[in-house]
Amino acid sequence: MTAAERAERTRAADELCVKAFASTGCPDTGVSLVAVGGYGRQELAPFSDLDVVLVHDPDVGMGDWAGQIWYPLWDSGANIDHSVRTVEEVLEQADADLRVATGMLDVRHLAGDPNLTLRLRSAVLNQWRRDARTRLDDMHELVSERGRMTGELAHASVPDLKESVGGLRDATMLKALVASWLVDVPHADLERCRVALLDVRDALHEVAGRATDRVAPEYWEEIAPLLGLADGTAVQVHTRGLARRLTHLSRLAWRRAEAVQRQPSATGGRRPRLETVAPGVAISFEEIVLDKGANVAGDPLLLLRAAAEAAERDLVLAPQTAARLVREAPDLPDPWPVEARDLFVRLLAAGDGLLGVWETLDETGALERILPEWERVRLLPHASVVHRFTVDRHLVETCIEASTLIRRVARADVLMVSALLHDIGKGQLTEHCVAGEPIARAIAVRLGFDAREIELVGDLVRWHLLLPETATTRDPDDPATVELVTAKVADREELELLAALTEADARATSEKAWTKWRASLVRTLVRRAAAALSDEPMPDDDGVEIEIPERVRTDPSSVSVVAQPSGDGPATDGSRITVVSGDRIGLLADAAAMLALQKTSVRAARAWTQDGFGVSVWDVAETGLDDILLRQRLEAIVDGRIDATERLLRVAPVKLEPTVAVRPDASPRATVVEVRSADRPGLIHVVCRALAQMDISVRSAHVSTLGPQAVDVFYVQEAAAGALSEERAASAAHAVRQALVSAFSAPGTN
């Protein structure tokens, strides 16, 4: 199946149409026969219809010839889709129906008055370009609705070469977008994919013996020899790869078209404005690009930082930016530093924004550098028809589903990495859970996880089918059923991670994989297994004693701030900041505000009371911090010269609301309040301030940032010491949650 064969079919059809026009006595002027749609583009498949329009001037009298022209075409056995219209009627129909409008963009002269055809083509194009801005929303909705109905050609089990997302209809829409002059699309790339998909459709027609665009599973093998490919699997990989590239081009073009539509129509010759959002990363025209002066050659984290920012903000990661970073940025060290892993987890947990960014990383070759094991599952079809997507897309969809469940688990980072890798063993000769475990463990080592975390990732990949298989095939009332789970799951932390992964995996598979019945069975099994597993209490210590600075001992109202590198030698990774002052309610909130105003990213923190002094130790990502400047800022906050609450910038609203829980059995001496929320600047300050306003003392704090989620545990007491009453604890939890919702759910500035 080649372009030459399509050209020959088009030539034969053109000859047939010209003869039909000449045989019926049509006037030489004021009338023309034109081809539109696929026939206009000269893309006839073996069983394609001939889409033709007989166009005439209004003053041309319509004789018998207007109806007789179709008889020779019918007699030839051709399938024709025909109409008779004036130029004005064509424009009216194109204005009323987008499908007609896009088909008429490819109008091609066949016979009759060429000047009339030229007028028609000019009028259609002028109308399209004039009205393009006002029709973009309808165009995009048409594309989206088609996608909802037919799925994605790159991933659907029974794809439609024409109507599925990434199919020939999308290629036509891209050409229409380009014709509008609003956006551009890489022409050579678009044509390469479109022509290759036409070859696949021609082969499909040949093996099916009829006009069809849906590739049933049995057709893949038969198509292979017609395309010169080894087997059906090779045809699938070839076809789905073309479709994925078209999908990427289409999504990028639509995002850019929408951005153009939101901008004033007259922007003049102004240069794009850069808005810095992270080191080396900026926003320009709603796309993530490199900032001015970005240290491309010296920053191995720049690619991950740009990807995470794009996904979290649901913006386009400019392909040119990703491609340049692939070419010029240094490789990540092995193992990855903590900041690299955090950026990777933020990317995975970004929700819907992950998909487009992941596609860009894949299409630009960035995934080969970040995660070379991805090639194992790239475009790999699932053996089961229950799956909606190919393996690689399923893994991305599982991450998107898992991002909505991170409030349920303490280790969001482990959950997100396990979601990405749970099917990484697919395509191997052995059972994929078994094959995937060592691959996942090796990746976890490279990502820089510690021994416990590597064990968790490996176990989650190994046993990710344990809960659904056990819940649906065993008697839930039999103690042996619970024992089957507890024999393989180490503790409740691993169980809660496995439960979240199970739900995310099922939801990403299909609606049938996570029905109410299945969900109920799994959740019942999880509750019983959790009851059977011991739950270790939270740590309840007062920290390690430090030497109290003399100036603070002399004047407890003063503050001491010391910033030191957190590692040894040139390989330091962040700083450790120690804050000491006389113990008082609100001190921890002020210290947190100091760091938030400094725009310092807190990785972990501990706070305790020592000999009547308040001590807090903060591990942060930044290096080279000036402890004198930090102390001056803290003093200004303490003295009231800086209103931290007013000064702290609001950030983009979070998608998931925070959870605040009281753990009554975690400590005999204090009340434990656990906060799980999106990691945001000022988060710790908001929590501590809410507690201070209730005259509640934070005796100890254990703060951890795990990718996009902060899991913060606060040991609190009444000001006069002692744990909170049940009613008081509930009020404190409610106050903290309301403070977080108020601070981070309102629209803000980035």
Side-chain angles (χ1 to χ4, degrees), residues 413-428:
D413 52 349
V414 171
L415 173 63
M416 297 314 305
V417 170
S418 300
L420 181 71
L421 302 179
H422 74 277
D423 277 348
I424 198 70
K426 286 283 180 78
Q428 309 299 307

Side-chain angles (χ1 to χ4, degrees), residues 441-472:
R441 286 178 182 270
I443 294 172
V445 171
R446 189 171 71 246
L447 296 183
F449 280 121
D450 63 26
R452 163 65 174 165
E453 296 157 349
I454 294 166
E455 191 72 18
L456 281 173
V457 171
D459 284 353
L460 290 174
V461 172
R462 175 64 182 87
W463 302 115
H464 72 269
L465 296 180
L466 175 65
L467 294 179
E469 288 181 349
T470 304
T472 57

Side-chain angles (χ1 to χ4, degrees), residues 274-283 291-292 313 750:
L274 293 177
E275 177 191 353
T276 302
V277 294
V281 179
I283 298 175
D291 202 358
K292 292 180 180 178
R313 298 168 185 272
N750 292 326

Side-chain angles (χ1 to χ4, degrees), residues 463-474 485 498-499 501-503 505-506 513-514 517-519 521-523 525-526:
W463 302 115
H464 72 269
L465 296 180
L466 175 65
L467 294 179
E469 288 181 349
T470 304
T472 57
T473 61
R474 298 297 184 97
V485 174
L498 189 61
L501 177 58
T502 297
E503 181 171 344
D505 182 18
W514 193 247
W517 172 74
R518 283 178 177 269
L521 290 177
V522 170
R523 287 166 183 163
L525 177 60
V526 169

Side-chain angles (χ1 to χ4, degrees), residues 364-611:
T364 57
L367 278 186
E368 295 178 18
R369 297 189 61 182
I370 297 172
L371 191 66
E373 294 85 354
W374 194 251
E375 192 62 29
R376 295 172 177 268
V377 295
R378 194 172 190 267
L379 293 174
L380 181 67
H382 268 107
S384 170
V385 295
V386 174
H387 280 271
R388 293 178 294 171
F389 302 114
T390 52
V391 175
D392 55 345
R393 176 62 180 276
H394 169 73
L395 294 176
V396 175
E397 292 289 336
T398 303
C399 287
I400 294 173
E401 295 289 347
S403 71
T404 68
L405 307 177
I406 58 176
R407 296 291 182 271
R408 299 186 189 177
V409 301
R411 296 307 307 265
D413 52 349
V414 171
L415 173 63
M416 297 314 305
V417 170
S418 300
L420 181 71
L421 302 179
H422 74 277
D423 277 348
I424 198 70
K426 286 283 180 78
Q428 309 299 307
L429 295 177
T430 55
E431 202 275 323
H432 79 277
C433 296
V434 176
E437 180 184 1
I439 301 172
R441 286 178 182 270
I443 294 172
V445 171
R446 189 171 71 246
L447 296 183
F449 280 121
D450 63 26
R452 163 65 174 165
E453 296 157 349
I454 294 166
E455 191 72 18
L456 281 173
V457 171
D459 284 353
L460 290 174
V461 172
R462 175 64 182 87
W463 302 115
H464 72 269
L465 296 180
L466 175 65
L467 294 179
E469 288 181 349
T470 304
T472 57
T473 61
R474 298 297 184 97
D475 180 1
D477 296 323
D478 187 346
T481 301
V482 172
E483 292 175 6
L484 188 63
V485 174
T486 57
K488 297 178 175 64
V489 177
D491 51 36
R492 291 189 65 169
E493 180 181 53
E494 185 172 319
L495 180 65
E496 74 175 14
L497 286 164
L498 189 61
L501 177 58
T502 297
E503 181 171 344
D505 182 18
R507 289 185 181 277
T509 298
S510 67
E511 292 182 1
K512 295 179 180 179
W514 193 247
T515 61
K516 290 183 178 179
W517 172 74
R518 283 178 177 269
S520 175
L521 290 177
V522 170
R523 287 166 183 163
T524 298
L525 177 60
V526 169
R527 283 197 302 270
R528 293 180 177 179
L533 292 167
S534 62
D535 190 12
E536 297 180 2
M538 289 187 176
D540 185 14
D541 55 68
D542 293 327
V544 179
E545 288 199 1
I546 68 165
E547 182 177 348
I548 304 299
E550 185 61 32
R551 65 187 301 269
V552 177
R553 284 192 179 277
T554 303
D555 179 11
S557 66
S558 65
V559 294
S560 169
V561 181
V562 177
Q564 297 175 314
S566 57
D568 297 323
T572 58
D573 182 20
S575 302
R576 173 161 291 181
I577 301 171
T578 303
V579 178
V580 184
S581 184
D583 189 32
R584 61 176 175 81
I585 292 176
L587 175 60
L588 195 64
D590 291 342
M594 169 193 71
L595 295 173
L597 290 174
Q598 186 69 20
K599 297 184 179 179
T600 300
S601 177
V602 177
R603 292 175 176 166
R606 291 291 320 285
W608 65 91
T609 301
Q610 178 181 323
D611 300 331

Side-chain angles (χ1 to χ4, degrees), residues 14-305:
D14 287 357
E15 184 177 308
L16 186 65
C17 289
V18 170
K19 287 182 178 179
F21 187 90
S23 67
T24 52
C26 293
D28 293 331
T29 60
V31 179
S32 67
L33 185 65
V34 298
V36 298
Y39 182 26
R41 294 188 296 273
Q42 305 182 66
E43 296 172 356
L44 291 179
F47 292 93
S48 289
D49 292 345
L50 304 183
D51 294 332
V52 290
V53 180
L54 187 64
V55 185
H56 65 93
D57 280 331
D59 57 353
V60 173
M62 303 300 290
D64 293 340
W65 51 266
Q68 292 174 354
I69 190 174
W70 314 121
Y71 288 103
L73 301 179
W74 288 327
D75 291 343
S76 71
N79 296 318
I80 63 170
D81 186 352
H82 64 285
S83 60
V84 180
R85 298 280 190 272
T86 64
V87 172
E88 289 72 19
E89 288 171 340
V90 169
L91 295 178
E92 289 174 3
Q93 194 175 17
D95 185 59
D97 191 332
L98 275 170
R99 294 177 178 84
V100 173
T102 55
M104 292 304 300
L105 289 173
D106 297 301
V107 64
R108 183 170 60 86
H109 182 72
L110 293 174
D113 187 348
N115 291 323
L116 178 59
T117 301
L118 182 61
R119 294 203 328 262
L120 171 65
R121 181 172 178 80
S122 298
V124 167
L125 280 172
N126 288 337
Q127 176 176 274
W128 180 252
R129 288 164 182 161
R130 184 193 66 209
D131 300 338
R133 275 181 176 265
T134 62
R135 306 194 75 174
L136 275 179
D137 288 343
D138 291 338
M139 287 175 64
H140 199 187
E141 177 54 31
L142 191 65
V143 171
S144 300
E145 178 62 24
R146 182 164 42 79
R148 290 190 288 269
M149 296 291 293
T150 61
E152 295 190 30
L153 174 50
H155 305 288
S157 56
V158 183
D160 188 305
L161 296 176
K162 184 176 183 180
E163 302 294 344
S164 291
V165 173
L168 292 168
R169 186 78 76 183
D170 271 359
T172 301
M173 277 295 192
L174 285 177
K175 289 169 67 70
L177 270 180
V178 172
S180 72
W181 292 351
L182 292 177
V183 294
D184 196 11
V185 177
H187 178 75
D189 220 4
L190 172 60
E191 280 302 292
R192 176 185 64 81
C193 294
R194 192 176 67 85
V195 170
L197 271 184
L198 289 171
D199 291 343
V200 178
R201 187 181 67 171
D202 288 358
L204 175 62
H205 279 206
E206 289 287 348
V207 301
R210 59 187 175 87
T212 180
D213 296 310
R214 291 177 62 82
V215 189
E218 62 271 18
Y219 287 148
W220 293 113
E221 287 290 340
E222 297 179 57
I223 290 173
L226 297 179
L227 296 178
L229 296 172
D231 52 30
T233 299
V235 177
Q236 285 205 56
V237 170
H238 170 70
T239 305
R240 296 183 188 279
L242 296 169
R244 187 167 62 180
R245 183 60 180 162
L246 276 174
T247 300
H248 176 69
L249 293 175
S250 179
R251 285 184 175 141
L252 183 62
W254 280 113
R255 292 293 294 267
R256 287 175 170 171
E258 291 171 344
V260 167
Q261 196 175 25
R262 284 189 287 268
Q263 294 167 5
S265 56
T267 58
R270 291 179 298 173
R271 299 180 64 182
R273 183 176 66 88
L274 293 177
E275 177 191 353
T276 302
V277 294
V281 179
I283 298 175
S284 175
F285 288 148
E286 301 187 25
E287 295 189 16
I288 291 293
V289 299
L290 293 176
D291 202 358
K292 292 180 180 178
N295 185 15
V296 175
D299 188 353
L301 275 60
L302 194 49
L303 176 60
L304 285 174
R305 193 178 303 120

